[in-house]
Amino acid sequence: MTFQPEALPAALRRQFPLLGRTVHGQPLHYLDNAATSQMPQSVLDAIANHETTARANVLRSVHFLAEAASAAYEESRAECARYLGAGVPEEVVFTSGCTGAINLVAHSFGDGRGPGDGRGPGDGLGPGDEVLISELEHHSNIVPWQMLRQRRGIVLKALPVTDDGRLDLTHLPRLVGDRCRLVALTHASNVTGAVTDVASVVAAARAVGAKVLLDGAQYAAHGPLDLPALGVDFYAFSGHKTFGPNGVGVLWARGEILADMPPFLGGGEMIRRVTIEATTYAEPPHRFEAGTPPIAQAVGLGAALRWIRGLDQAAVQAHLAALTRRLLDGLAALDRGRGLIRVIGPGDLAARLPVVSFTVTGAHPHDICQILDRHGVALRGGHHCAQPLMDRFGITGTTRASLACYNDAGDIDALLAGLEDAMARLRVGTGASGLSNP
Amino acid sequence: MSEDLYQNDLLRLAAEARGTGRLQAPDASVTLDNPLCGDRITLDVQLAAGRLSALGHEVRACVLCQAAASVIGRHAVGETPARLRAVAGEVRALLKPDGGPATPSAWPEIAAFQPVAAIRSRHVCVELPFKALVAALDAAAPEGGDA
């Protein structure tokens, strides 16, 4: 669909019933999209339609409803593949979310011992093999690798972050050596909004034969991808950040890698033949989907990706860039040169998502968010599951506004007005509060 | 409601920052984190003759957590461990959705936290210093051994 820029948010907002509600008597200004985005009516309808016309388990029974459910489930897999530019639905594994997808890789690729000849990508990592992450990562792309380190004795290295919240890729030559087996990085930061220069990462990894995993939790909502062109090996994202439901996510991986990887979880659906003595496993993707999958959620995710693909991406990106600029300029104006408001992330619009994190000297993020909630403004405060990044900047947390295509200038202005109120109530900059906040 | 949360009483309590600073030779020190936001409190206790004789804390946290630590700093010294555990229980009760204790606490400032009861995600902010206090007492004077 194509919109004139000024009509874009109004036309989109009408598709999101939740955005019409009030909070504390105020219009809702939902700016926590990096945590969870809202679902358009078409996604809600797709889920409701599935649950009321085709609810059944998938890939098991032969009755009418089971056939309909299986068809809907596999069509959603195909939609995911189209969205990712993959083209091969079998490379799409449904998971519980982005965290589940990364953990799947940490176990199946990390622990390995796949069905291949022992020399393939499913052979697993061993003592001394290296995995490169970064200080910019969400805990979901840190902890699974620390756990793998405990299991397998790998070496975990971390790429530093620049002062403006970007990956410092100048360290790639130093950190990607002959023992590097995997580079696992965020595609875009959930705190700073910085988008990773994937080409540089892939080039460094390929030079030593390492695989590349991208955590696409934040980036995936911002338009269809072309993963083969990106050159990565694994891509993970979640449904609830891509205008879809909770409880579902996707791991995409190259077919030859998936084929050589052992399963992560065991149970129904992921088998070829089970005896008391042993089990042989199904082909991907079902090898990695033990038990009843999140069927309606997968259907909803397919509808959400279809909805995103229908947007005028250029118009959406221009709209979000303008709102981000408005927010950054508004924060600077509010600060009035006092140096109280500090943006943790790029101050420009180059290669960044509409995610803006900031600190306010003398005011805690949770106190700010609590006061803004009374203005109807939904923000996130805290460490954003990125404590190493907080340590990097010497802070405990930030206040974060994360925008989606349905946000408008009114949302930004409400945030800025609420923040001005919060700073006044918390006596920021008066020297009178004496609070010891970060 | 947040209008009530950020009334002058809580802001004043937080700003007073009673009991801040570390003890030189504590009987026990406890550091607790708020996993929600990464806030942290380190609390030291010293006991003598069955009562809290000195207390110090360092808080890197929100107004609610700072205010709670300040209330402890104002009242805790001189109390028995049993009494302090009881006060921590009063705070837990205060934050329950069905209301606080029938009788007001001997620490009147605790009533200022009543509006937090309606906001479940912020309970931990108020409780963190009290949990640290109880944990420090448990380490320095295990329950039943503090008479």
Side-chain angles (χ1 to χ4, degrees):
Chain A
M1 60 197 92
T2 302
F3 301 103
Q4 295 301 312
E6 64 274 13
L8 179 66
L12 290 175
R13 285 178 87 94
R14 284 195 290 273
Q15 300 182 44
F16 289 79
L18 185 138
L19 297 177
R21 69 159 296 169
T22 58
V23 173
H24 305 306
Q26 304 283 340
L28 172 63
H29 302 284
Y30 188 77
L31 294 167
D32 194 18
N33 297 285
T36 288
S37 52
Q38 300 302 333
M39 291 193 284
Q41 189 64 53
S42 61
V43 173
L44 296 167
D45 288 345
I47 296 169
N49 182 60
H50 177 82
E51 294 287 41
T52 53
T53 66
R55 179 178 167 86
N57 215 325
V58 292
L59 309 172
R60 287 166 171 78
S61 303
V62 297
H63 57 76
F64 179 88
L65 290 184
E67 282 291 323
S70 296
Y73 183 67
E74 293 303 330
E75 169 50 31
S76 288
R77 193 191 307 277
E79 177 58 43
C80 290
R82 286 191 288 273
Y83 188 84
L84 299 173
V88 184
E90 289 74 19
E91 293 180 335
V92 172
V93 178
F94 285 122
T95 65
S96 60
C98 192
T99 298
I102 295 172
N103 274 273
L104 193 165
V105 177
H107 279 268
S108 293
F109 175 79
D111 288 322
R113 296 183 297 278
D117 60 6
R119 296 191 298 273
D123 190 35
L125 309 189
D129 285 339
E130 296 171 3
V131 172
L132 177 65
I133 57 173
S134 83
E135 293 176 341
L136 201 55
E137 302 309 310
H138 189 283
H139 295 167
S140 292
N141 199 30
I142 298 173
V143 181
W145 308 113
Q146 292 175 336
M147 295 167 74
L148 178 65
R149 179 173 62 190
Q150 285 186 308
R151 295 195 304 274
R152 303 287 291 172
I154 64 160
V155 175
L156 195 55
K157 294 185 170 181
L159 203 57
V161 171
T162 63
D163 289 343
D164 67 344
R166 298 181 185 278
L167 291 180
D168 189 345
L169 299 182
T170 63
H171 292 268
L172 278 175
R174 176 177 65 84
L175 292 171
V176 180
D178 290 343
R179 294 300 304 271
C180 185
R181 297 286 307 279
L182 179 71
V183 179
L185 299 174
T186 185
H187 196 177
S189 167
N190 70 317
V191 178
T192 70
V195 175
T196 298
D197 173 5
V198 179
S200 296
V201 172
V202 168
R206 287 287 174 268
V208 298
K211 306 297 184 200
V212 176
L213 177 149
L214 283 188
D215 172 357
Q218 294 302 322
Y219 193 90
H222 293 275
L225 294 152
D226 186 348
L227 295 185
L230 276 180
V232 300
D233 301 287
F234 301 99
Y235 198 88
F237 71 98
S238 61
H240 67 280
K241 291 180 170 67
T242 51
F243 308 102
N246 296 322
V248 67
V250 163
L251 171 68
W252 173 87
R254 292 183 184 278
E256 66 272 20
I257 300 175
L258 279 181
D260 202 46
M261 280 170 32
F264 171 29
L265 300 174
E269 189 51 46
M270 47 74 74
I271 58 92
R272 179 176 292 155
R273 170 75 175 145
V274 177
T275 68
I276 293 300
E277 288 73 29
T279 295
T280 54
Y281 303 121
E283 294 298 313
H286 301 117
R287 184 189 301 163
F288 304 101
E289 296 178 355
T292 297
I295 302 163
Q297 291 90 334
V299 170
L301 174 57
L305 300 183
R306 202 156 38 244
W307 181 83
I308 298 173
R309 283 202 301 123
L311 296 174
D312 179 340
Q313 299 300 330
V316 167
Q317 301 313 322
H319 169 63
L320 288 173
L323 289 186
T324 305
R325 182 76 271 159
R326 188 183 188 96
L327 176 53
L328 291 169
D329 290 347
L331 291 173
L334 198 54
D335 187 56
R336 300 200 305 273
R338 293 175 292 175
L340 297 171
I341 300 175
R342 173 191 180 197
V343 172
I344 305 295
D348 58 27
L349 299 180
R352 62 134 52 242
L353 293 184
V355 175
V356 177
S357 288
F358 58 93
T359 60
V360 180
T361 302
H364 189 279
H366 274 181
D367 295 324
I368 292 172
C369 290
Q370 198 80 58
I371 292 173
L372 265 83
D373 178 59
R374 296 298 301 186
H375 290 259
V377 180
L379 301 174
R380 166 93 183 265
H383 54 61
H384 313 292
C385 299
Q387 286 185 310
L389 185 65
M390 300 297 116
D391 292 342
R392 159 65 177 83
F393 285 101
I395 55 180
T396 57
T398 73
T399 303
R400 181 186 72 187
S402 50
L403 286 55
C405 52
Y406 42 65
N407 288 122
D408 60 16
D411 294 327
I412 303 302
D413 295 347
L415 185 166
L416 294 168
L419 181 59
E420 187 170 24
D421 177 45
M423 291 172 68
R425 296 177 66 159
L426 296 170
R427 303 168 193 171
V428 169
T430 64
S433 74
L435 300 180
S436 58
N437 289 308
Chain B
M1 295 186 293
S2 68
E3 279 93 343
D4 296 324
L5 281 189
Y6 296 97
Q7 24 84 2
N8 286 333
D9 283 352
L10 282 182
L11 290 171
R12 179 177 46 75
L13 285 169
E16 283 178 359
R18 296 288 189 95
T20 54
R22 301 295 304 276
L23 299 184
Q24 290 285 344
D27 292 326
S29 294
V30 166
T31 297
L32 290 184
D33 292 306
N34 180 350
L36 182 68
C37 59
D39 286 351
R40 169 170 287 192
I41 180 169
T42 298
L43 190 142
D44 303 325
V45 295
Q46 211 169 48
L47 291 112
R51 292 180 180 273
L52 190 73
S53 57
L55 174 139
H57 59 73
E58 276 185 358
V59 183
R60 193 178 64 173
C62 63
V63 164
L64 303 184
C65 189
Q66 290 185 67
S70 186
V71 170
I72 292 171
R74 174 182 287 203
H75 289 292
V77 172
E79 299 279 11
T80 65
R83 172 63 187 141
L84 293 171
R85 291 187 179 98
V87 171
E90 285 179 15
V91 172
R92 275 198 306 277
L94 183 83
L95 295 175
K96 285 185 177 171
D98 56 354
T103 54
S105 168
W107 297 8
E109 295 87 352
I110 286 179
F113 296 106
Q114 176 80 61
V116 185
I119 306 169
R120 184 182 297 271
S121 61
R122 303 300 300 276
H123 291 187
V124 64
C125 306
V126 178
E127 288 195 79
L128 196 68
F130 289 95
K131 286 181 175 175
L133 175 62
V134 170
L137 293 172
D138 288 346
E143 207 161 3
D146 57 343

